Every structure is written in C-alpha cells, then in structure tokens.
Amino acid sequence: MRRLLRFAQDTDEAEQSSDENDSELLESLDDDSTNQPARDPSTWFPLRFQERALRQYFRELNVDEDGLRSSPSSAHLIIFRTIAVILTQEAPKDLTMDLPIVYGANYWIQHFLNIHVEQLSDEEVRQGIESFSAIVSNQGSALEKVEENASDLGIFGGATDLPEEMVVAVKHWTGRVLSLPPFLFSAENLSLVHEISGDVTNLMTKFARQHVYNWFYCVDYQEDATQSFSFAICALRMVSLDTSEQLLEGSCANFFKTNKADEKLAIDERATAEQVLYLSDAFPEFSKTSRAYRGIGLVLKYLAYYEEGLAQCRKALKTSESDLEKYHALGSILEAVVRLAGQVDGGEKGQYIHEAKETSTEIAALWERLETQNPGPDLIEHEQGNLSDQAACALLEDDVESAIDFMQRARALSTDKNGFVDIDLSDNITQKLWNLKQFPRLIGFVDSLPEIEKIFWLAYYNEDIFQEAAAKSDKHQFMVDTFKLVLKQRSVPNNGAIRLRYSLALYYKRVVGDLEKSKKWLGPLVYDDLKGLQVPEWMVLESRMALAEVLMEQFRASSESSQKANLLAEMKTLATSATGLGTDYCREMSNTATVYALMVRKLGPLSEFESTLCSSFNACIEALSDDVASNDSNAIRFFGKVLACLPGLQRDAQIALAAQFYWLNPDFKKAKDETEDAANGQKVDEDAERMKNSTEAGAIYTSSGLQDQESLTKTMENSEHDPEDASS
C-alpha cells in the first residue's frame, strides 16, 4: 500500500529564472503551463484498477470463494491493521509516510466498520480488537495524527450514517470478544471491551477525553489547539448515539447530567466562548496547568474571543513553573492585548498598548536566557510571532519604521532567507504606508522583501496600491519587473497569475499608455490561451471589455485606413467570439457589440452597422419581455447604449437609462408582507409579477427610431453627429 501511494507523489519541480521581454515571457508562461499536470487529478496516477478505488474493490459483494481473492472482511482487516501500525508508530518524521498517514487519518474508521466480525477467525478477532484499542487509547499519538491530517472534523468526518453503524459494529465486536476465552486478549484490550460493551457512548467519551488531553498538554499553536477542541466537542455531541437512555458513566457523568451536554454543545457557525469554557471543565481529572490554561486561551483567541482568551493566558502566566512556560504565556498575552488594542479607541487603546510594551520587555528578557540554550525551530517560530505582534503594536501608533525593524529582526532569526514569511504583517505595513501617503517608502519596502514574500504579498490582492504607488513614485519599470517575477512562478496563490495578468494589462493601458503591450496581455485571458490555467468567466468578461476599449482607442488614434481595417477585423473577432463564456452569454447584448458597431459605422458597410444594432435592439426587447427578472436591469442599460449609438436619439437614450430607477410597468405594484421587519418595524416587499408586456415593447420599438432599415439608412445619411462616445 505504501509503495503504491508513493506512485501518486508529484515530483515535478519548478525551474526557470531568466530575464525576458514581454513577448518571450508570455510564450514561456504558455510553454510552462503545457508541461504542468492536467487539471483532472485522476490523470496523476499511472496505475489503474477496474474499480474507481481500492475501497470499492474490497466492498464488492460477489467474491469467488474458490479463487485467490480474500474475502472483503479479511481485506478490510488487513488494511485496518496496516493503518493502525502507521498511526501508532512513534518514528522520526518521514516524508514518504505523509500520504499513508493522511489516508489512515481519514479512512481508518470506514475500514473498521466494513469488517464483519462474525466472518473472522478467533485470531483475526484478536488482531482487530488489538489494533482498534491501540488507536482509541492514543498509542503513539494516533489521535493526534488524526487531528492533524483529517480532512473533516471528528472521526466520522462529514458522514451522517457512520455514527449509527459504529453503534452496531461495536456491539458486534464486543459480543464476539466476550464470547471467546479471555486468555486470547491482553488485560488492556479486555478492559476497553468491558468499558464500551455496557454503553457504546462510553467510546465517544473516551475519544473526547483523548482529544481534550491533546488540547491541554500536546499542542503549542492556535490551529492545533482548535483542532483538538473541535474533535473533542464533535465526539461529546455524539454521546447519545445509543438508542437507550442510559447516562454516561465515568468521571464526567455528573457533569453532563447537570449541564445537559446536548444543548450546551450545539454549534451553529462557530463555538461560543461559553462552550469552550464548558468543555474545558468536562474532565476534572485533567489538572489545569499553565499549558492547559494557555491551550484554552489559544482556542478562544483563534475564535476571536480575545478578552476571554486574555483571562486564560493570564492564568497560564500565574501558574507557570519554568522560563519556557512563562515565555509562552507572555507571548499569548501579547497577541491578545495587541488584538484588543486594534478594536478600541481612546484611553482603553492606550492601556492595551502600554501593557503590550511591558509584556514585550518581559519577553525580550526571557528570550535572552532561552536563546543561550540553543532553541529549536518551534521556539524560534514563537519568537518570530512575538516580534510580529510587536510590529503590529507599533503600527497602531503609526510607527512604521519600528514595525519594519521588528519584521527584519524576525527575519534575521531564520537561517533561510525565505524562512520567515508573514503576509499579514507585510500587508499591514504597506497599507499603513499607503494611508500615510509615503509612496516611495512603500516601494522601497516592497523591494526589500525576500522574493517568496514579495510574490505572496503581490498575489494577496495588493496590485492596485502597488501600481499607484509605483506610478506616483515614478517606479514603472520596478513595478513591471515585479509583476513579471511573480508571473514566472509555476503556482501563484489566490488565482494571482490570472488576476495579475489583467492588472498588468490595465497598467500598460492607463499608466504607461502602451496599448499594444496591453493588448498582448489581455489576449490570452480573452481567448482562453493560458493552457495550464482556467480563466474564470467573470475575468473573461472584464478582459473582453478592456480589450474592446484598447481596440477602440487604437482605432480612434489611427489615421491609416489599412490599420483601421485591421483593428476592425480584430474587433469583429472579439465581438463574435464566446470563448470561455457560459451558455447564458448574449453577444448581441454585450459591450463589444456596441464598440464593434461604432467602428463599423466609421469604416465598414452601413448594412453591417444596421444589422448589428438591430440584433442588439431585438435582444434587449426579448430580455425585457421574457419571464426572467434577473436580466432586466442589464437589458435596460444596454438598451440606452444602443439608442445612444444612433444620431438624434440621445434624448431617448437618456430616458431609457433613467428608466432603470423607476417602475416601468404600472401593473407592477408593491405587495405588503404580513410579517413585520425585525430591524425597522416596516413591511417588506414581496416579489410581484414579471414585466412581459409585448405590446409596450412594440411601442418602444416604434418610437425608438428603429422602425425599419430604410428609415435607419435615411437617418444615418442625413446626420453628421458622431456617437462614438456611446461605448463608454
């Protein structure tokens, strides 16, 4: 199994770093994308089975007993025992084990439930209950591995049928074990069987106890603490799995009986602070050490309950027994007070900032002592986090230089130049410089960032402020080079490669004034020519509009008829294509249609101008006359644009555009709702009947000047008005 899973590892590594001009860069980006793995994950695996998954193969009911294939139960038992070994072994970190651990964390319970214990031999029963006991008892931090690698919360994930299956399976397993001679099993395994045989819900309590133990004593980071907490609360919410009404047994029986666990643990979107504190008291046998108090505070801070989290972290400081525990408690306090300082104003804000500075002084003194003891990577990472919090505190006082100094000190702790990346801090510093209008300093700060952080920062939706700061600082080439640096990467977060292409194209158009380069960057977005990237439809539409504007500007600026003809041909291709767009896209009612019509009016045959606008007009009428309400606002706006393209109909265009602010159909009336609005006590409007009066549409058609092509031709021939601005 391990060897097969290793086939799935993607060994493709990024390479390429050379200076290129725009054309070469565009070509190299497209070439690179063709060498990337296909988007369909199933194509990553060279090995194929008849069934879609190994689990499906073992679930196949029809088994030839005379063949070589083992029974499904035996096969699931083999996989389950292998998973138990993987999850419970205490071995050094081995990258080749990552995939098996992830698989085991997500599917161990499914394999266990697919074992039919009545079909197993006595020896196989012994092996199965031994593996089950090892996981449940958290041997080798098995449940901690489950917390770290599971794709969903709880041992059942998002499945709704598995809890009931677990009840049945555990009863069958315990019944079979108790029917066998006791000497077959270890005392530990028999103890577990006796504990869960009387009440299956005791098993979920046992899971919850182990997760709370991990939460209190085994985690150091907010995400890990919150994961342990979430697994624990998911387990305790299932204490009523058994159809019997027996109460929980064990150390927390009276606690749950008194506090009504099912009601207390019901979570809507996120756990409340009361639920976190409630669960922290569920197992009184766990003493509240400094680390336990800090673990509670970490979860509360992660859920943005900073005041409650600060109270727990202060308890952690009071109960600390070593420099290390005190250091961690002070770091948690620092983060909480800095967050609280950012949420308030006035004197209260000043008090939090003062406490943050005093806490920072204590942390610095402790770090001097701990630093002499050769701190490991985890402790260095915590110190970097403390320096980031101190930088955030400096930004609250508009002290940008101190914030940058703290950031550089944090970076200096890493042996790798790209070892410390804090995108949130980089973003906050640049935002503060932007607010203070220190544009040259902003550009200098971005230039000082390590390459990897520069890439992530720019992909963090900061391209707009970066471009404007570069323009105001006259650093155009630096901005362009930075964009190219990011676009050379094989993978850019937040779909940044597509967004940055579009942003760079607009920069060339609006700031540099190089329309030809802008067109080169827009083309692949419009015609879906980025082979390794999927351009979202909204980006295709935005790019089409921008490309139409570029072509129109080039058309207006050109004085050569041959060049105008080429631009008209490009515009026709754009207006008639629908690459990357859905089936609901209507090219007759798009911005490219009006731009194309205006260009045709100048250069093309008049009949083409007539047919283009007539098609657009008819599309508007159809959209306004159908039973679909969602397209009406767009249709009435575009109807005004169509009228604006015609000489002498500017007044009609204004009326059409203003109509979007009024009720067009007198039969469309507001209906009163029976229910009072909770916010303002007023009645709310219901949906009324849709606008579909074909007679009115015909009247609009007659009064608009598009009665027929003959009258349109006459209008065009007798007018000297130039309506090119109608495309805006």
Side-chain angles (χ1 to χ4, degrees):
M1 175 181 174
R2 175 176 167 182
R3 292 182 62 190
L4 290 178
L5 287 171
R6 290 184 64 183
F7 277 115
Q9 295 184 24
D10 183 10
T11 58
D12 190 28
E13 297 182 356
E15 53 180 320
Q16 176 176 357
S17 58
S18 59
D19 295 328
E20 301 163 293
N21 57 35
D22 283 341
S23 299
E24 292 172 341
L25 177 59
L26 286 167
E27 292 175 4
S28 66
L29 289 172
D30 291 340
D31 291 341
D32 280 348
S33 60
T34 59
N35 295 325
Q36 292 180 358
R39 289 190 294 268
D40 183 4
S42 65
T43 62
W44 298 348
F45 299 88
L47 191 61
R48 297 290 185 270
F49 292 95
Q50 180 178 346
E51 282 78 10
R52 291 175 61 87
L54 200 59
R55 292 190 307 281
Q56 181 180 341
Y57 172 79
F58 286 130
R59 286 172 177 166
E60 179 62 44
L61 296 179
N62 300 322
V63 179
D64 183 6
E65 297 182 358
D66 297 328
L68 297 176
R69 176 176 170 180
S70 60
S71 68
S73 285
S74 297
H76 282 294
L77 177 62
I78 294 172
I79 297 179
F80 175 68
R81 291 184 60 206
T82 304
I83 289 174
V85 171
I86 292 172
L87 293 179
T88 58
Q89 66 179 352
E90 296 184 8
K93 182 67 175 177
D94 184 357
L95 294 178
T96 63
M97 292 300 296
D98 283 352
L99 282 175
I101 290 175
V102 171
Y103 180 87
N106 283 283
Y107 295 109
W108 74 270
I109 192 67
Q110 285 90 332
H111 284 293
F112 175 75
L113 296 179
N114 281 323
I115 300 172
H116 297 286
V117 66
E118 66 275 4
Q119 299 177 7
L120 303 180
S121 66
D122 293 351
E123 177 61 20
E124 288 177 326
V125 172
R126 185 193 66 78
Q127 295 171 348
I129 203 66
E130 184 180 72
S131 298
F132 182 75
S133 176
I135 295 176
V136 173
S137 302
N138 200 28
Q139 290 184 18
S141 302
L143 294 180
E144 193 173 347
K145 295 185 181 75
V146 172
E147 293 171 5
E148 293 173 356
N149 296 281
S151 58
D152 210 337
L153 296 180
I155 63 171
F156 302 116
T160 57
D161 56 332
L162 295 185
E164 294 298 333
E165 291 184 23
M166 172 65 102
V167 174
V168 176
V170 169
K171 287 183 177 180
H172 288 167
W173 272 91
T174 55
R176 178 70 187 277
V177 170
L178 294 176
S179 69
L180 297 176
F183 66 82
L184 290 177
F185 309 97
S186 67
E188 182 181 357
N189 293 342
L190 280 177
S191 175
L192 172 65
V193 170
H194 283 293
E195 182 180 355
I196 65 178
S197 61
D199 187 353
V200 179
T201 59
N202 287 340
L203 176 63
M204 304 311 299
T205 307
K206 193 173 184 66
F207 278 123
R209 183 182 290 107
Q210 293 295 344
H211 290 306
V212 171
Y213 179 88
N214 292 340
W215 175 22
F216 280 6
Y217 308 122
C218 300
V219 296
D220 290 315
Y221 298 95
Q222 288 187 13
E223 294 81 0
D224 298 335
T226 306
Q227 191 79 344
S228 297
F229 161 79
S230 300
F231 268 78
I233 206 169
C234 286
L236 287 182
R237 289 184 63 194
M238 298 179 186
V239 294
S240 59
L241 280 177
D242 197 358
T243 54
S244 67
E245 297 182 357
Q246 297 175 348
L247 294 173
L248 287 172
E249 299 177 357
S251 60
C252 58
N254 294 331
F255 178 83
F256 287 117
K257 187 188 302 184
T258 304
N259 292 280
K260 297 182 180 180
D262 290 343
E263 298 177 8
K264 288 283 187 180
L265 298 178
I267 298 176
D268 295 327
E269 295 183 359
R270 64 168 180 164
T272 64
E274 291 76 13
Q275 287 172 326
V276 176
L277 298 174
Y278 166 81
L279 184 57
S280 69
D281 294 329
F283 299 96
E285 63 267 33
F286 294 150
S287 60
K288 295 289 182 63
T289 63
S290 175
R291 187 164 187 173
Y293 278 123
R294 179 171 172 269
I296 300 170
L298 290 177
V299 174
L300 290 167
K301 290 192 299 175
Y302 185 86
L303 298 174
Y305 303 120
Y306 294 110
E307 290 186 3
E308 295 85 350
L310 178 59
Q312 296 297 316
C313 293
R314 284 172 174 162
K315 291 181 180 179
L317 180 61
K318 289 181 180 179
T319 56
S320 60
E321 298 178 352
S322 66
D323 283 349
L324 184 60
E325 286 186 346
K326 186 175 181 180
Y327 174 81
H328 282 307
L330 287 169
S332 297
I333 291 174
L334 175 62
E335 183 194 17
V337 295
V338 170
R339 297 297 182 274
L340 288 169
Q343 297 176 357
V344 296
D345 295 314
E348 191 175 3
K349 178 178 180 179
Q351 292 177 2
Y352 281 129
I353 291 178
H354 178 71
E355 183 177 357
K357 290 180 177 180
E358 288 187 339
T359 305
S360 299
T361 302
E362 294 184 66
I363 290 175
L366 281 171
W367 176 250
E368 288 182 2
R369 294 202 294 268
L370 294 172
E371 194 174 19
T372 61
Q373 304 172 13
N374 296 323
D378 288 342
L379 193 57
I380 290 177
E381 187 174 343
H382 277 96
E383 176 62 14
Q384 290 173 326
N386 292 335
L387 290 170
S388 293
D389 289 331
Q390 293 177 59
C393 183
L395 289 177
L396 293 175
E397 297 184 299
D398 292 341
D399 189 354
V400 182
E401 295 305 321
S402 293
I404 294 175
D405 179 64
F406 283 124
M407 187 178 194
Q408 291 173 344
R409 287 168 55 187
R411 187 174 293 120
L413 293 175
S414 298
T415 55
D416 182 2
K417 65 177 182 179
N418 291 325
F420 175 74
V421 176
D422 190 337
I423 302 302
D424 289 333
L425 180 56
S426 301
D427 187 54
N428 291 336
I429 290 176
T430 52
Q431 288 289 343
K432 180 63 68 173
L433 289 170
W434 171 261
N435 294 336
L436 297 174
K437 300 189 182 304
Q438 297 180 15
F439 304 117
R441 185 69 182 96
L442 190 156
I443 295 298
F445 173 72
V446 173
D447 192 21
S448 69
L449 294 175
E451 181 175 302
I452 186 66
E453 190 163 356
K454 193 180 298 182
I455 291 169
F456 273 82
W457 175 82
L458 191 55
Y460 206 59
Y461 301 95
N462 285 306
E463 59 268 22
D464 290 341
I465 67 169
F466 182 43
Q467 286 182 340
E468 190 163 351
K472 292 183 177 179
S473 304
D474 197 23
K475 296 289 185 180
H476 304 291
Q477 192 57 45
F478 170 72
M479 193 282 305
V480 172
D481 291 342
T482 305
F483 268 62
K484 291 179 181 179
L485 170 68
V486 176
L487 291 172
K488 285 180 182 178
Q489 307 307 310
R490 299 292 293 270
S491 178
V492 182
N494 297 325
N495 207 17
I498 293 173
R499 205 181 64 254
L500 293 181
R501 283 173 176 264
Y502 176 73
S503 184
L504 184 57
L506 294 187
Y507 188 83
Y508 274 126
K509 173 182 178 292
R510 298 172 180 173
V511 180
V512 180
D514 193 332
L515 298 179
E516 198 61 34
K517 285 186 177 180
S518 177
K519 188 162 62 176
K520 286 181 179 180
W521 285 95
L522 287 170
L525 295 173
V526 170
Y527 298 111
D528 196 18
D529 198 20
L530 302 175
K531 301 178 180 63
L533 298 172
Q534 183 67 41
V535 184
E537 185 174 357
W538 68 269
M539 178 58 73
V540 175
L541 291 171
E542 292 290 331
S543 301
R544 287 173 63 89
M545 186 182 304
L547 182 56
E549 292 176 359
V550 169
L551 291 173
M552 189 57 161
E553 288 188 35
Q554 288 183 315
F555 186 84
R556 286 171 170 168
S558 176
S559 58
E560 299 180 4
S561 58
S562 59
Q563 186 178 7
K564 281 183 176 290
N566 292 335
L567 292 169
L568 177 60
E570 289 184 51
M571 190 63 232
K572 183 174 183 180
T573 301
L574 176 63
T576 56
S577 70
T579 305
L581 300 173
T583 56
D584 58 342
Y585 171 72
C586 178
R587 67 183 185 185
E588 290 83 7
M589 207 164 63
S590 67
N591 289 306
T592 55
T594 53
V595 175
Y596 174 64
L598 292 174
M599 292 172 68
V600 169
R601 177 182 180 272
K602 284 289 186 180
L603 197 64
L606 188 59
S607 59
E608 181 76 8
F609 174 72
E610 295 173 0
S611 62
T612 300
L613 286 187
C614 284
S615 297
S616 296
F617 178 84
N618 292 331
C620 292
I621 296 301
E622 182 179 353
L624 292 170
S625 305
D626 60 21
D627 295 330
V628 181
S630 58
N631 61 3
D632 289 347
S633 59
N634 182 54
I636 195 65
R637 282 194 297 271
F638 192 76
F639 181 63
K641 290 184 178 183
V642 171
L643 296 181
C645 291
L646 295 168
L649 293 180
Q650 275 60 49
R651 174 67 174 169
D652 301 78
Q654 292 175 343
I655 294 173
L657 291 173
Q660 61 186 306
F661 304 112
Y662 303 96
W663 300 105
L664 299 184
N665 191 335
D667 296 331
F668 190 93
K669 298 179 180 179
K670 294 183 180 180
K672 292 185 178 180
D673 197 319
E674 298 292 334
T675 307
E676 291 287 337
D677 186 273
N680 53 26
Q682 297 179 349
K683 300 292 185 180
V684 296
D685 296 335
E686 294 181 342
D687 289 336
E689 62 185 31
R690 305 304 183 192
M691 178 180 179
K692 52 178 181 179
N693 194 323
S694 57
T695 305
E696 288 186 16
I700 296 175
Y701 186 94
T702 304
S703 63
S704 65
L706 287 178
Q707 298 92 332
D708 50 50
Q709 292 192 5
E710 181 180 355
S711 61
L712 174 60
T713 304
K714 184 176 181 181
T715 303
M716 291 300 307
E717 291 175 347
N718 295 335
S719 175
E720 297 180 356
H721 180 72
D722 186 355
E724 283 189 5
D725 289 336
S727 63
S728 59

